[in-house]
Amino acid sequence: MTAVSDALPPVPDPALVSALAADLDASDFRSEPLRRLWGEEADDALGRGVREPLLRAVDGDSSALATLGRLLVLGMPQPAALVSAALPRLGAEGLAALGLARVSGADAVPTALVRPQSFVDADGIGEWWIASDLDELALGTELPADHVLGVGGASRTLAELIVPTPVGRALDLGTGCGIQALLVSRHAGEVVATDVSSRALAFAALNARLNGVSNITFQLGSMFEPVEGEAFDLIVSNPPFVITPRVDGVTAYEYRDGGLIGDALVEQFVRSAPAHLTPGGIAQLLGNWESVSSGSDPSTGPGAEGSTTSGLDRLESWIAPDLDAWVIQREELTPLEYAELWIRDGGTTPREPTFGRMLEAWLDDFAGRGVTAVGFGYVLLRRGAAGRAPLRRFERLSQPLSAPGRALRDGLAAHDVLGDGIPQTLVTASDVTEARHYMPGDDDPSVIELRQGGGFGRTVSADTALAGFVGACDGELTVSQIAGALADLFDVPLADLWAELEPRIRELVQDGFLVAAS
C-alpha cells in the first residue's frame, strides 16, 4: 500500500497566520539574510540536497534566524523554548495549532517547511513565504503519495513563461502549494486556484494568507470540473504531467502524476482549455509528450511501417486548427533517461532494491505502448481574433532563454501586427548583434549571423542583402525605401529582391529581431 503523509494539512487560521507573518518579518526570515547567515557555498549545497555545510555554519547559533532556518528551511526539530523566542507572537504552540509543527516534550518538531521564495516579474522584485510538506531531505525516506511540493524547478520555469499582461480573471489549474496563483495575482483582478488534492489547497490557502494576498479563491476538483462553464483571460498550469506506469510498486505522486496513461493528461488539457478562454485569452502549461512508433497512436492514424510519430506532431494534432498555438520543446529523453529521472525525483536511488523493479516497470510500460522518446516543453494556446490566420509554431529550442514570458508576449504581438502586413517602418531590436566570418584572405564574409541577446537567444543566418536591410532599419527609412536602395546597390530588379527578402523580414519581425517603429 502506498504511504501517505502522517501530518495533517495546515489550518489557515487568520489570527495565527497573521502572527506567524509578523514574526517571520521581524526575524528577517528572507532569502538573502539566510544566505548571508550560512554562506553562499552552504546555500548552494542545500540546493543540491546537501545540508551538512549549512549545519556546520550555524552550529551553536541560537539566534532567531538560525533557529527558524533549521526548523522551517531544513525541517529539523528545535528546542520549543528557542522556537517560542524566535516566534514571540505565535510561539511553538501556535505553530502546532497551524499544523506546521507538533510539540513533543521539550522540542518543536516540524511537520511542514516554510521557505522564503524570491521572484522577479514585470512589477519588480518580491518574495513570498511558501509552506509545503517536508521534503525527502527532512523525511529521510521516500516521499508519501500525497506530498505537497514546494517551489521546484518546474514552478520557477512556468513563472518565467507567463505572459506579463494584466488580466481580469485567471485560473491556476493544479495549484499545488499555490505559487503560480500568487504570482498571477499580481496582475490579475481575480484568480481561481484548483487542485484535486484538498491537502494542496490547504497549503495554498495558508500561503495566500501568509503573504497577504486576498484575490484568490480555491476550489477542489480534477482538471476543469470545478470551473465548468466559466471562462478566463489567462489559464496557467504546471499539471501533474509525469508519465508513470500503472502497476503495483510504482508510487503515483499526486503532485506530479495525473492518473492517466502516457501523455493523456496533456492531451486532455489542450483539448479542453480553449472552451474556458475568453476572446484573446491565453492558456500556458508545462508538459510531456511521447514520440511513438507506427500503429501505437490511434489519434494520429496509421503511419508507414517502421515510422515514428514525433511528440510535437502528436501534440499539434490535439490542438484545434483555428487556435493560436506556440509550442517549444526544450528537451527530449529516451525512455531509460526519463524513467531514471523520475524514479530519483521520488527519492529512490539505485542503491535501493526497489529502484531496479521500478525501472523495469517504466521500461515495460514504454515498450508496450511503442514509446521511443519523451519530449518536455512549453505550450501556449490563444483564442485569437476571428478572421485572422492563426499562429502555429512547433519548434525545438535548447539554448538558454532570457525573460521568455516577455518574448512570448512580444511574439504574439508581432504575429498580430503581421496580420496587416509588414509595418511600414522597422527598427532593429537593441539586443541584436551581427557576426561576420571570413576565410583567410577573403574580402567578403563567408558567413553572416544575426544574434539575439535576449528573448529566445536565436541565431539567424543572413546573406548580404538581408544583413544590409537589418542594418538600415533605424526608424528613419521606410521598408520600401530600404528595399529600393538595396535593389539599386546590388543591381537587381526590385521585385526579385523583395520576393527573396519579404518572407525573411517577416520571420525577423515574428522573432523580435525587427520591431515596428513607434
Side-chain angles (χ1 to χ4, degrees), residues 289 300 308-318 394 396:
W289 35 85
T300 57
T308 296
T309 304
S310 76
L312 284 178
D313 287 342
R314 296 180 63 248
L315 179 55
E316 184 174 5
S317 74
W318 304 335
F394 297 82
R396 295 173 175 85

Side-chain angles (χ1 to χ4, degrees), residues 69-198:
R70 288 187 292 259
L71 180 79
L72 299 178
V73 175
L74 298 183
M76 299 177 64
Q78 295 294 290
L82 284 181
V83 173
S84 292
L87 302 172
R89 299 168 182 81
L90 184 67
E93 294 291 344
L95 195 66
L98 273 176
L100 301 177
R102 57 183 173 82
V103 177
S104 178
D107 288 338
V109 180
T111 56
L113 302 175
V114 181
R115 290 174 169 170
Q117 179 63 46
S118 58
F119 63 87
V120 179
D121 65 11
D123 297 324
I125 301 173
E127 192 159 49
W128 308 115
W129 292 303
I130 302 296
S132 63
D133 270 324
L134 297 173
D135 59 17
E136 62 266 30
L137 192 64
L139 292 171
T141 184
E142 181 182 357
L143 297 175
D146 59 347
H147 176 79
V148 176
L149 189 68
V151 180
S155 297
R156 288 187 284 270
T157 296
L158 181 59
E160 293 174 353
L161 286 170
I162 295 173
V163 174
T165 303
V167 297
R169 296 193 78 217
L171 169 66
D172 177 16
L173 190 149
T175 192
C177 68
I179 182 63
Q180 302 302 331
L182 288 169
L183 291 166
V184 170
S185 74
R186 288 168 58 84
H187 58 90
E190 174 193 357
V191 181
V192 178
T194 69
D195 206 286
V196 72
S197 166
S198 57

Side-chain angles (χ1 to χ4, degrees), residues 131-355:
S132 63
D133 270 324
L134 297 173
D135 59 17
E136 62 266 30
L137 192 64
L139 292 171
T141 184
E142 181 182 357
L143 297 175
D146 59 347
H147 176 79
V148 176
L149 189 68
V151 180
S155 297
R156 288 187 284 270
T157 296
L158 181 59
E160 293 174 353
L161 286 170
I162 295 173
V163 174
T165 303
V167 297
R169 296 193 78 217
L171 169 66
D172 177 16
L173 190 149
T175 192
C177 68
I179 182 63
Q180 302 302 331
L182 288 169
L183 291 166
V184 170
S185 74
R186 288 168 58 84
H187 58 90
E190 174 193 357
V191 181
V192 178
T194 69
D195 206 286
V196 72
S197 166
S198 57
R199 183 179 188 83
L201 289 178
F203 272 107
L206 170 69
N207 289 329
R209 284 194 175 275
L210 187 59
N211 293 288
V213 177
S214 59
N215 63 336
I216 306 175
T217 57
F218 301 93
Q219 297 187 30
L220 179 67
S222 176
M223 295 297 288
F224 291 96
E225 292 174 2
V227 292
E228 183 66 32
E230 298 183 50
F232 300 88
D233 306 305
L234 174 66
I235 300 173
V236 300
S237 184
N238 177 19
F241 58 75
V242 175
I243 298 165
T244 305
R246 306 284 161 226
V247 297
D248 292 337
V250 176
T251 303
Y253 296 103
E254 286 184 352
Y255 75 88
R256 73 181 203 191
D257 181 5
L260 302 179
I261 301 296
D263 51 17
L265 183 134
V266 173
E267 178 180 1
Q268 183 177 335
F269 182 98
V270 300
R271 290 188 186 278
S272 303
H276 297 274
L277 289 175
T278 59
I282 293 172
Q284 295 183 259
L285 79 151
L286 306 181
N288 280 152
W289 35 85
E290 299 174 326
S291 296
V292 299
S293 58
S294 60
S296 301
D297 183 25
S299 69
T300 57
E305 184 176 352
S307 67
T308 296
T309 304
S310 76
L312 284 178
D313 287 342
R314 296 180 63 248
L315 179 55
E316 184 174 5
S317 74
W318 304 335
I319 301 172
D322 60 336
L323 288 172
D324 290 329
W326 195 343
V327 178
I328 298 171
Q329 180 167 291
R330 295 291 287 154
E331 64 179 358
E332 189 172 65
L333 300 179
T334 67
L336 176 59
E337 291 169 334
Y338 189 87
E340 285 194 61
L341 170 68
W342 292 109
I343 294 171
R344 291 176 184 269
D345 178 80
T348 302
T349 68
R351 294 189 298 270
E352 300 173 59
T354 55
F355 185 92

Side-chain angles (χ1 to χ4, degrees), residues 56 100 210 368-369 439 452 476:
R56 288 171 61 89
L100 301 177
L210 187 59
R369 294 185 296 105
M439 295 297 291
Q452 192 176 51
E476 297 296 325

